[in-house]
Amino acid sequence: MAGTELFDCLKSELTGNFEKVAVGLMMPAPVYDAYELRNAIKGAGTEEACLIDILASRSNAEMKEIVATYKKENGKSLEDDVCGDTSGMFQRVLVSLLTAGRDESTKVDEAQAVQDAKDIYEAGEAHWGTDEVKFLTVLCVRNRNHLLRVFQEYQKISGRDIEDSIKREMSGCLEDVFLAIVKCLKNKPAFFAERLYKSMKGLGTTDSVLIRIMVARAEIDMLDIKAEFLKIYGKTLHSFIKGDTSGDYRKILLELCGGEK
């Protein structure tokens, strides 16, 4: 009860982005992810970026917890809600991710890796039009070590990085979700560093993305994200947040970020 009362008190006493951060920090990780997904789906339009950020980056165990929590909190199935709000191949990729069916072993089948790379190449670069099902079958099911090997083989066969090929062959949300899957497999902290950078660069700040990542990753891999941010962009995440936010909102984000280094 005390937790519920504190939660309600925070919501009634705080406002704006500071409230969103504080309330998010009160929630256990699967509850926060389920809450964000529900907000992304409900109402007019869908925030596809939220669906992609969460579903492309969580482990099988995390995904199962999110699905169970979503059902408990909303009385509905996450899969049903995703299917009701998305369509086509983008929908199929999201459903594949939320069913948590990825192999999580570390085994690499060399012959299969070569075949997978050929299959993806023939489904995209070497094909008139793109057979997205083949991309889904490989990218959403195989384990991380195996896929890193597939990406090496793909580079040899096509002369291109897998990400470049996805950008050439696809567009819109489908391109975004496949790129997110590949980037998370290669280097998850770097993926989140890029998302944070893009949320703050240029005019205005995409606060929904900034808040979601800072809250969700604060106790998981924030140190790694900060290191990748500095490596990629030559500036600290701390300095970016400091220059792009203000007031108590800035203070709480800087606390989550940790020190300048």
Side-chain angles (χ1 to χ4, degrees):
M1 280 300 294
T4 306
E5 286 170 10
L6 177 56
F7 188 86
D8 291 341
C9 181
L10 283 173
K11 284 188 78 69
S12 66
E13 292 297 319
L14 306 177
T15 58
N17 290 324
F18 181 67
E19 178 205 337
K20 289 173 187 172
V21 177
V23 167
L25 290 170
M26 286 289 295
M27 301 179 191
V31 175
Y32 183 65
D33 281 345
Y35 171 80
E36 285 289 293
L37 288 167
R38 181 66 190 134
N39 284 341
I41 292 168
K42 73 177 185 181
T46 305
E47 193 198 341
E48 289 88 355
C50 175
L51 300 182
I52 293 168
D53 282 356
I54 295 174
L55 299 184
S57 65
R58 302 312 192 247
S59 68
N60 286 352
E62 288 169 334
M63 195 68 75
K64 285 171 184 171
E65 275 199 89
I66 292 165
V67 168
T69 302
Y70 191 96
K71 178 84 173 178
K72 182 181 169 189
E73 296 285 324
N74 301 296
K76 299 178 182 180
S77 140
L78 176 55
E79 183 174 336
D80 287 349
D81 276 359
V82 166
C83 287
D85 232 50
T86 58
S87 61
M89 187 54 62
F90 178 57
Q91 178 194 94
R92 288 179 66 178
V93 175
L94 294 180
V95 168
S96 179
L97 293 171
L98 67 85
T99 52
R102 185 181 297 285
D103 169 23
E104 289 191 330
S105 74
T106 56
K107 183 184 173 187
V108 177
D109 182 330
E110 286 292 332
Q112 187 64 57
V114 172
Q115 188 59 52
D116 285 343
K118 283 180 181 172
D119 287 348
I120 292 176
Y121 177 67
E122 285 166 8
E125 293 278 353
H127 192 268
W128 181 257
T130 306
D131 179 5
E132 294 101 346
V133 174
K134 187 57 71 176
F135 279 81
L136 185 157
T137 305
V138 175
L139 295 180
C140 295
V141 177
R142 306 282 194 255
N143 73 61
R144 179 176 181 268
N145 284 2
H146 180 89
L147 282 168
L148 293 178
R149 188 76 190 85
V150 171
F151 300 156
Q152 289 174 344
E153 281 300 317
Y154 186 88
Q155 177 86 42
K156 283 186 199 171
I157 294 167
S158 68
R160 279 196 183 88
D161 188 277
I162 184 72
E163 289 155 271
D164 292 336
S165 288
I166 289 169
K167 288 173 189 172
R168 282 164 57 90
E169 294 296 315
M170 298 173 199
S171 61
C173 294
L174 187 61
E175 176 190 338
D176 292 341
V177 73
F178 276 131
L179 283 175
I181 292 166
V182 170
K183 287 174 181 179
C184 284
L185 288 163
K186 285 185 172 183
N187 186 335
K188 198 178 288 186
F191 167 73
F192 285 120
E194 181 187 2
R195 296 290 291 127
L196 287 168
Y197 175 77
K198 287 182 176 177
S199 77
M200 290 182 280
K201 72 166 188 154
L203 287 171
T205 305
T206 311
D207 293 296
S208 59
V209 175
L210 177 58
I211 292 167
R212 180 169 61 246
I213 294 172
M214 293 303 296
V215 170
R217 309 311 293 184
E219 295 182 5
I220 298 174
D221 52 3
M222 186 54 66
L223 286 175
D224 295 328
I225 292 168
K226 284 169 63 178
E228 289 295 335
F229 194 99
L230 180 59
K231 189 162 92 178
I232 299 166
Y233 302 109
K235 293 183 178 177
T236 64
L237 176 58
H238 190 281
S239 69
F240 251 70
I241 291 169
K242 195 171 182 180
D244 228 58
T245 57
S246 60
D248 290 333
Y249 176 44
R250 174 202 276 164
K251 287 178 188 172
I252 198 167
L253 288 180
L254 290 177
E255 282 295 320
L256 293 177
C257 177
E260 179 71 46
K261 294 182 181 178

